[in-house]
Amino acid sequence: MVVERSGYSTERVPLLRRVFPQARFVHLFRDGPDCALSMSRHTGYRLILLLREILARAGAERHGELTQDQIRSLPPELLADRFDPALVLDRDLPLPRFGALWSELVARGVDHLSEVPAPMWTMLAYEDLLDEPRKELTRLAEFIGVEPLPQWLEAGSARIDGSHRGASLRLPTAELAALRECCAPGARALAGGEG
């Protein structure tokens, strides 16, 4: 039994199904506003939004399609001659954009998983894992076809850190409302997804 976990990988579901037709899929997800807030602090997701802004301003669909003229037309605050980490780390990226990205990824992921036969996939909410770690880890182990060993359940339960749960609730009311609005399409997709 091999278990592989990757974030930002639901786009690969069709490919993985072709390559591994007997594979089972677990869609692990987190509350939209909390996840978007976490994404806003993650270099990789910040870079994704920056790249999307570059492509939108240049009028290109993929970074490999950018012409030299398009690159020269970009303002230096988007793309400098030399990479400056501040372009990614210090750039003001509005939180609702991360909520929209979360929604997009979740909705596309649920859509891809809807093509997988129901017995071959399941969903696992991060918040359920926080609430009942032993129960959810047991369910996960049984789904993937392994025995939920007591020492694994104990170690797994001990590693779960719920300190960031509800982090978005500390945002100002208007900012949280805007973030929730951007996360609503993803939440609706999750509510309709079953496995």
Side-chain angles (χ1 to χ4, degrees):
M1 179 67 57
V2 175
V3 176
E4 189 277 335
R5 180 251 175 240
S6 295
Y8 201 73
S9 61
T10 53
E11 287 294 314
R12 302 281 189 267
V13 168
L15 171 65
L16 290 170
R17 281 191 65 216
R18 283 192 305 276
V19 176
F20 304 103
Q22 299 305 314
R24 292 174 170 252
F25 296 87
V26 178
H27 185 196
L28 175 61
F29 61 92
R30 183 176 178 191
D31 171 73
D34 282 354
C35 192
L37 183 59
S38 177
M39 291 165 74
S40 75
R41 299 172 179 149
H42 188 280
T43 306
Y45 287 104
R46 295 181 65 79
L47 188 57
I48 288 166
L49 285 185
L50 179 62
L51 178 58
R52 285 179 169 204
E53 186 175 344
I54 288 169
L55 293 174
R57 286 201 186 184
E61 292 201 22
R62 301 181 191 281
H63 68 279
E65 297 172 2
L66 285 169
T67 66
Q68 287 302 313
D69 287 340
Q70 288 172 317
I71 292 170
R72 280 191 292 276
S73 74
L74 293 169
E77 67 269 13
L78 275 182
L79 193 62
D81 290 335
R82 290 187 52 214
F83 178 72
D84 180 357
L87 287 171
V88 176
L89 301 175
D90 298 340
R91 185 168 184 72
D92 180 32
L93 295 170
L95 194 50
R97 290 180 61 195
F98 290 96
L101 177 60
W102 177 86
S103 275
E104 177 187 330
L105 296 174
V106 166
R108 283 198 330 234
V110 168
D111 187 50
H112 287 308
L113 288 167
S114 73
E115 300 296 319
V116 177
M120 302 300 286
W121 73 282
T122 191
M123 296 172 72
L124 177 57
Y126 171 77
E127 291 74 18
D128 291 345
L129 195 55
L130 293 177
D131 292 341
E132 299 182 274
R134 293 180 76 83
K135 175 184 171 194
E136 292 300 309
L137 289 173
T138 297
R139 185 173 73 82
L140 174 63
E142 290 171 349
F143 175 75
I144 62 175
V146 298
E147 184 181 343
L149 299 173
Q151 64 268 32
W152 178 74
L153 291 173
E154 189 62 39
S157 297
R159 291 186 60 116
I160 294 173
D161 175 13
S163 65
H164 300 290
R165 176 188 221 157
S168 64
L169 298 175
R170 294 186 282 277
L171 293 170
T173 305
E175 192 172 2
L176 179 58
L179 182 56
R180 282 185 173 150
E181 184 177 329
C182 290
C183 290
R188 285 191 297 275
L190 287 170
E194 296 178 24

PDB file of all heavy atoms in Angstrom, residues 122-125 128 134-144 148:
ATOM      1  N   THR A 122     -13.348   9.461  -1.205  1.00  0.00           N
ATOM      2  CA  THR A 122     -14.061   9.947  -0.031  1.00  0.00           C
ATOM      3  C   THR A 122     -13.567  11.346   0.289  1.00  0.00           C
ATOM      4  O   THR A 122     -12.564  11.809  -0.240  1.00  0.00           O
ATOM      5  CB  THR A 122     -13.871   8.997   1.170  1.00  0.00           C
ATOM      6  OG1 THR A 122     -14.775   9.356   2.213  1.00  0.00           O
ATOM      7  CG2 THR A 122     -12.436   9.054   1.720  1.00  0.00           C
ATOM      8  N   MET A 123     -14.299  12.006   1.160  1.00  0.00           N
ATOM      9  CA  MET A 123     -13.917  13.346   1.596  1.00  0.00           C
ATOM     10  C   MET A 123     -13.515  13.283   3.065  1.00  0.00           C
ATOM     11  O   MET A 123     -14.046  12.478   3.827  1.00  0.00           O
ATOM     12  CB  MET A 123     -15.077  14.317   1.394  1.00  0.00           C
ATOM     13  CG  MET A 123     -15.444  14.480  -0.075  1.00  0.00           C
ATOM     14  SD  MET A 123     -16.957  15.432  -0.360  1.00  0.00           S
ATOM     15  CE  MET A 123     -16.403  17.074   0.045  1.00  0.00           C
ATOM     16  N   LEU A 124     -12.600  14.149   3.456  1.00  0.00           N
ATOM     17  CA  LEU A 124     -12.151  14.242   4.837  1.00  0.00           C
ATOM     18  C   LEU A 124     -11.986  15.711   5.182  1.00  0.00           C
ATOM     19  O   LEU A 124     -11.131  16.392   4.624  1.00  0.00           O
ATOM     20  CB  LEU A 124     -10.826  13.490   5.022  1.00  0.00           C
ATOM     21  CG  LEU A 124     -10.163  13.538   6.389  1.00  0.00           C
ATOM     22  CD1 LEU A 124     -11.092  13.013   7.478  1.00  0.00           C
ATOM     23  CD2 LEU A 124      -8.867  12.752   6.372  1.00  0.00           C
ATOM     24  N   ALA A 125     -12.831  16.192   6.067  1.00  0.00           N
ATOM     25  CA  ALA A 125     -12.762  17.586   6.489  1.00  0.00           C
ATOM     26  C   ALA A 125     -11.722  17.738   7.602  1.00  0.00           C
ATOM     27  O   ALA A 125     -11.736  16.985   8.583  1.00  0.00           O
ATOM     28  CB  ALA A 125     -14.122  18.062   6.979  1.00  0.00           C
ATOM     29  N   ASP A 128     -13.258  17.976  10.964  1.00  0.00           N
ATOM     30  CA  ASP A 128     -13.681  16.690  11.535  1.00  0.00           C
ATOM     31  C   ASP A 128     -12.492  15.947  12.120  1.00  0.00           C
ATOM     32  O   ASP A 128     -12.595  15.292  13.159  1.00  0.00           O
ATOM     33  CB  ASP A 128     -14.359  15.813  10.478  1.00  0.00           C
ATOM     34  CG  ASP A 128     -15.700  16.354  10.033  1.00  0.00           C
ATOM     35  OD1 ASP A 128     -16.261  17.248  10.727  1.00  0.00           O
ATOM     36  OD2 ASP A 128     -16.195  15.899   8.984  1.00  0.00           O
ATOM     37  N   ARG A 134      -9.212  10.162  16.205  1.00  0.00           N
ATOM     38  CA  ARG A 134      -9.147   8.695  16.153  1.00  0.00           C
ATOM     39  C   ARG A 134     -10.222   8.142  15.216  1.00  0.00           C
ATOM     40  O   ARG A 134      -9.958   7.237  14.424  1.00  0.00           O
ATOM     41  CB  ARG A 134      -9.266   8.097  17.547  1.00  0.00           C
ATOM     42  CG  ARG A 134      -8.056   8.431  18.434  1.00  0.00           C
ATOM     43  CD  ARG A 134      -8.195   7.818  19.806  1.00  0.00           C
ATOM     44  NE  ARG A 134      -7.917   6.383  19.799  1.00  0.00           N
ATOM     45  CZ  ARG A 134      -6.717   5.840  19.861  1.00  0.00           C
ATOM     46  NH1 ARG A 134      -5.654   6.613  19.941  1.00  0.00           N
ATOM     47  NH2 ARG A 134      -6.557   4.534  19.857  1.00  0.00           N
ATOM     48  N   LYS A 135     -11.417   8.692  15.300  1.00  0.00           N
ATOM     49  CA  LYS A 135     -12.512   8.221  14.452  1.00  0.00           C
ATOM     50  C   LYS A 135     -12.193   8.472  12.984  1.00  0.00           C
ATOM     51  O   LYS A 135     -12.360   7.590  12.132  1.00  0.00           O
ATOM     52  CB  LYS A 135     -13.810   8.931  14.828  1.00  0.00           C
ATOM     53  CG  LYS A 135     -14.973   8.595  13.917  1.00  0.00           C
ATOM     54  CD  LYS A 135     -16.202   9.404  14.266  1.00  0.00           C
ATOM     55  CE  LYS A 135     -17.280   9.211  13.212  1.00  0.00           C
ATOM     56  NZ  LYS A 135     -18.329  10.205  13.323  1.00  0.00           N
ATOM     57  N   GLU A 136     -11.740   9.686  12.660  1.00  0.00           N
ATOM     58  CA  GLU A 136     -11.462  10.030  11.260  1.00  0.00           C
ATOM     59  C   GLU A 136     -10.238   9.300  10.716  1.00  0.00           C
ATOM     60  O   GLU A 136     -10.222   8.894   9.559  1.00  0.00           O
ATOM     61  CB  GLU A 136     -11.324  11.543  11.096  1.00  0.00           C
ATOM     62  CG  GLU A 136     -12.627  12.296  11.302  1.00  0.00           C
ATOM     63  CD  GLU A 136     -13.704  11.872  10.311  1.00  0.00           C
ATOM     64  OE1 GLU A 136     -13.435  11.848   9.094  1.00  0.00           O
ATOM     65  OE2 GLU A 136     -14.820  11.555  10.757  1.00  0.00           O
ATOM     66  N   LEU A 137      -9.216   9.122  11.552  1.00  0.00           N
ATOM     67  CA  LEU A 137      -8.043   8.368  11.102  1.00  0.00           C
ATOM     68  C   LEU A 137      -8.395   6.895  10.903  1.00  0.00           C
ATOM     69  O   LEU A 137      -7.902   6.260   9.964  1.00  0.00           O
ATOM     70  CB  LEU A 137      -6.892   8.523  12.093  1.00  0.00           C
ATOM     71  CG  LEU A 137      -6.237   9.908  12.131  1.00  0.00           C
ATOM     72  CD1 LEU A 137      -5.226   9.998  13.271  1.00  0.00           C
ATOM     73  CD2 LEU A 137      -5.590  10.253  10.804  1.00  0.00           C
ATOM     74  N   THR A 138      -9.265   6.355  11.746  1.00  0.00           N
ATOM     75  CA  THR A 138      -9.736   4.975  11.571  1.00  0.00           C
ATOM     76  C   THR A 138     -10.510   4.853  10.266  1.00  0.00           C
ATOM     77  O   THR A 138     -10.300   3.915   9.478  1.00  0.00           O
ATOM     78  CB  THR A 138     -10.617   4.547  12.766  1.00  0.00           C
ATOM     79  OG1 THR A 138      -9.822   4.567  13.958  1.00  0.00           O
ATOM     80  CG2 THR A 138     -11.205   3.161  12.560  1.00  0.00           C
ATOM     81  N   ARG A 139     -11.394   5.802  10.004  1.00  0.00           N
ATOM     82  CA  ARG A 139     -12.161   5.802   8.757  1.00  0.00           C
ATOM     83  C   ARG A 139     -11.218   5.898   7.549  1.00  0.00           C
ATOM     84  O   ARG A 139     -11.392   5.196   6.551  1.00  0.00           O
ATOM     85  CB  ARG A 139     -13.159   6.972   8.760  1.00  0.00           C
ATOM     86  CG  ARG A 139     -14.088   6.988   7.552  1.00  0.00           C
ATOM     87  CD  ARG A 139     -15.151   8.071   7.696  1.00  0.00           C
ATOM     88  NE  ARG A 139     -14.651   9.420   7.516  1.00  0.00           N
ATOM     89  CZ  ARG A 139     -14.460  10.008   6.338  1.00  0.00           C
ATOM     90  NH1 ARG A 139     -14.725   9.370   5.220  1.00  0.00           N
ATOM     91  NH2 ARG A 139     -14.002  11.243   6.273  1.00  0.00           N
ATOM     92  N   LEU A 140     -10.192   6.742   7.651  1.00  0.00           N
ATOM     93  CA  LEU A 140      -9.215   6.885   6.576  1.00  0.00           C
ATOM     94  C   LEU A 140      -8.474   5.571   6.339  1.00  0.00           C
ATOM     95  O   LEU A 140      -8.347   5.113   5.198  1.00  0.00           O
ATOM     96  CB  LEU A 140      -8.231   8.008   6.906  1.00  0.00           C
ATOM     97  CG  LEU A 140      -7.057   8.193   5.955  1.00  0.00           C
ATOM     98  CD1 LEU A 140      -7.543   8.565   4.564  1.00  0.00           C
ATOM     99  CD2 LEU A 140      -6.102   9.247   6.498  1.00  0.00           C
ATOM    100  N   ALA A 141      -7.992   4.960   7.401  1.00  0.00           N
ATOM    101  CA  ALA A 141      -7.259   3.698   7.275  1.00  0.00           C
ATOM    102  C   ALA A 141      -8.135   2.623   6.639  1.00  0.00           C
ATOM    103  O   ALA A 141      -7.693   1.913   5.724  1.00  0.00           O
ATOM    104  CB  ALA A 141      -6.762   3.238   8.649  1.00  0.00           C
ATOM    105  N   GLU A 142      -9.363   2.519   7.083  1.00  0.00           N
ATOM    106  CA  GLU A 142     -10.270   1.512   6.530  1.00  0.00           C
ATOM    107  C   GLU A 142     -10.560   1.793   5.058  1.00  0.00           C
ATOM    108  O   GLU A 142     -10.625   0.872   4.250  1.00  0.00           O
ATOM    109  CB  GLU A 142     -11.555   1.461   7.346  1.00  0.00           C
ATOM    110  CG  GLU A 142     -11.323   0.859   8.726  1.00  0.00           C
ATOM    111  CD  GLU A 142     -12.514   0.983   9.661  1.00  0.00           C
ATOM    112  OE1 GLU A 142     -13.489   1.713   9.344  1.00  0.00           O
ATOM    113  OE2 GLU A 142     -12.456   0.360  10.741  1.00  0.00           O
ATOM    114  N   PHE A 143     -10.699   3.059   4.701  1.00  0.00           N
ATOM    115  CA  PHE A 143     -10.959   3.400   3.304  1.00  0.00           C
ATOM    116  C   PHE A 143      -9.816   2.986   2.390  1.00  0.00           C
ATOM    117  O   PHE A 143     -10.028   2.476   1.292  1.00  0.00           O
ATOM    118  CB  PHE A 143     -11.245   4.905   3.146  1.00  0.00           C
ATOM    119  CG  PHE A 143     -11.407   5.329   1.725  1.00  0.00           C
ATOM    120  CD1 PHE A 143     -12.568   5.037   1.024  1.00  0.00           C
ATOM    121  CD2 PHE A 143     -10.385   5.991   1.059  1.00  0.00           C
ATOM    122  CE1 PHE A 143     -12.715   5.401  -0.309  1.00  0.00           C
ATOM    123  CE2 PHE A 143     -10.522   6.361  -0.269  1.00  0.00           C
ATOM    124  CZ  PHE A 143     -11.689   6.062  -0.950  1.00  0.00           C
ATOM    125  N   ILE A 144      -8.583   3.209   2.846  1.00  0.00           N
ATOM    126  CA  ILE A 144      -7.440   2.869   1.990  1.00  0.00           C
ATOM    127  C   ILE A 144      -7.037   1.401   2.121  1.00  0.00           C
ATOM    128  O   ILE A 144      -6.152   0.944   1.418  1.00  0.00           O
ATOM    129  CB  ILE A 144      -6.237   3.807   2.214  1.00  0.00           C
ATOM    130  CG1 ILE A 144      -5.715   3.718   3.639  1.00  0.00           C
ATOM    131  CG2 ILE A 144      -6.594   5.224   1.849  1.00  0.00           C
ATOM    132  CD1 ILE A 144      -4.453   4.529   3.882  1.00  0.00           C
ATOM    133  N   PRO A 148      -6.078   0.142  11.113  1.00  0.00           N
ATOM    134  CA  PRO A 148      -5.770   1.342  11.908  1.00  0.00           C
ATOM    135  C   PRO A 148      -5.054   0.953  13.211  1.00  0.00           C
ATOM    136  O   PRO A 148      -5.673   0.808  14.257  1.00  0.00           O
ATOM    137  CB  PRO A 148      -7.149   1.952  12.166  1.00  0.00           C
ATOM    138  CG  PRO A 148      -8.096   0.795  12.104  1.00  0.00           C
ATOM    139  CD  PRO A 148      -7.496  -0.195  11.139  1.00  0.00           C
TER     140      PRO A 148
END
